[in-house]
Amino acid sequence: MELRHLRYFVAVAEERHFGRAAERLHMAQPPLSQQIRQLEAELGLTLLTRTTRRVDLTPAGAAYLERAREILGAVDAAAHEAASIASGRRGRLLIGCVGSATYSLLPALARTLRAELPEVEFGFRGEMLSPDQAAALTDGTLDLGLLRPLPTTPSPGPGLSITHLRQENLLVAMAKDHRFAGRRRVRIADLDGEGLVIHAGGGRSAMNAMIQDLFDSAGIRSHIAHEVAETSTLVTFVAAGLGVAIVPEPTAALAVPGVVYVPLTGTPGVELVAATRAGDESPLLSRALAILVESARTDEK
């Protein structure tokens, strides 16, 4: 038995006429009649009763029709699903995101991805430090990361591929009653002796390494008052007057009462990149990455 036998049988059963079924199937009537007889012979059952004017289903034929429709429906659904996956329109994608982008880029990106790829199941993990994302990409628990490479390392990790998204300006986050709160801009030298609230160091944060480099290049010593794991905690500590923080510009989207953001001048800013596993040619990943690049450009404007 082949799938075509089921399709032939369903057509005849639904049309209740061999001639109309043959027209529907774009074939001649005699071969169709022959195929139905072969199906009945193989099953050892009479599925159809035939008269000169119409065809009727036997009780066995009625039961067989129900199952045949289910089988053909499942086959068609499998083909549709396979085609959707092959074209990048279906599947599952896990995306990680550094803190500042969690509050700015990620909301718009999530809406766009769900609108353009409605059959895809997306998972998002916000407030992930760059090294954690690199490790998760390597072990397969993430498919796509929005992160910041370390200043001394172009790639966030071996076996990973990066796509530049944008360069982001730096701000100094401070309590509203800080002496610099009324300024239009702040230089790195102005922060000499200031207590810093900063992401955890020890290779855990690209922002930590970059800020240390800024202070070293300016010939001043950083004074770290508090190390934190998440950007939301960092800004909350700033609001409490526990120190100032150097943050990417999109962090200002995290509007915590009592915090003022002032541009930090004389620095190149910080890069935001998308990271994937090198050699991953998933059509879904390619589609999502293209949407991400466009979303980053739009959000930047």
Side-chain angles (χ1 to χ4, degrees):
M1 185 189 304
E2 299 178 16
L3 283 176
R4 61 188 174 86
H5 290 111
L6 296 183
R7 297 192 189 279
Y8 293 164
F9 169 71
V10 169
V12 174
E14 290 179 348
E15 296 293 341
R16 301 298 176 95
H17 191 278
F18 275 91
R20 289 195 297 271
E23 290 179 6
R24 170 173 156 181
L25 295 166
H26 305 290
M27 63 186 298
Q29 181 175 333
L32 175 60
S33 299
Q34 183 180 12
Q35 293 293 325
I36 298 299
R37 285 195 294 271
Q38 288 179 358
L39 175 63
E40 290 177 315
E42 183 171 346
L43 295 173
L45 298 170
T46 300
L47 301 175
L48 303 167
T49 58
R50 303 154 174 86
T51 68
T52 56
R53 293 190 174 183
R54 62 177 286 126
V55 175
D56 288 313
L57 290 166
T58 66
Y64 195 75
L65 174 62
E66 181 178 349
R67 296 299 185 188
R69 283 171 170 161
E70 291 176 0
I71 292 169
L72 293 174
V75 170
D76 291 341
H80 174 74
E81 182 176 357
S84 295
I85 292 173
S87 63
R89 291 180 288 109
R90 180 177 290 195
R92 188 166 188 262
L93 205 66
L94 300 177
I95 300 173
C97 191
V98 292
S100 56
T102 298
Y103 303 107
S104 57
L105 179 58
L106 184 59
L109 173 64
R111 287 192 295 270
T112 303
L113 286 171
R114 286 172 172 158
E116 296 196 20
L117 300 171
E119 295 183 272
V120 175
E121 179 186 352
F122 289 102
F124 299 95
R125 292 183 60 189
E127 286 281 12
M128 285 189 75
L129 295 175
S130 295
D132 294 338
Q133 290 192 57
L137 286 164
T138 300
D139 67 24
T141 53
L142 273 187
D143 301 303
L144 177 61
L146 279 71
L147 48 78
R148 305 187 190 283
L150 292 169
T152 57
T153 310
S155 173
L160 299 181
S161 175
I162 65 171
T163 301
H164 174 80
L165 295 178
R166 65 191 186 193
Q167 197 79 6
E168 297 176 340
N169 295 325
L170 293 173
L171 306 176
V172 181
M174 61 192 74
K176 65 180 181 180
D177 57 356
H178 192 279
R179 67 184 187 280
F180 293 157
R183 287 194 179 187
R184 296 181 60 185
R185 61 185 64 86
V186 173
R187 300 170 303 157
I188 192 69
D190 295 331
L191 302 180
D192 189 10
E194 286 287 333
L196 294 177
V197 183
I198 195 169
H199 284 96
R204 297 279 298 153
S205 166
M207 283 298 300
N208 180 295
M210 187 214 65
I211 290 168
Q212 297 287 6
D213 280 356
L214 286 177
F215 276 80
D216 291 344
S217 298
I220 57 177
R221 181 177 298 178
S222 61
H223 169 53
I224 299 176
H226 298 278
E227 288 192 357
V228 301
E230 298 182 342
T231 301
S232 57
T233 304
L234 181 146
V235 178
T236 300
F237 277 27
V238 168
L242 300 178
V244 301
I246 297 175
V247 297
E249 188 172 10
T251 306
L254 186 59
V256 175
V259 176
V260 173
Y261 296 93
V262 179
L264 180 66
T265 62
T267 67
V270 61
E271 187 179 15
L272 181 68
V273 304
T276 59
R277 285 180 293 279
D280 190 337
E281 298 180 356
S282 160
L284 172 55
L285 183 60
S286 296
R287 277 178 171 261
L289 187 56
I291 292 170
L292 170 57
V293 169
E294 182 59 31
S295 293
R297 289 172 180 166
T298 302
D299 185 68
E300 190 174 24
K301 297 173 183 177

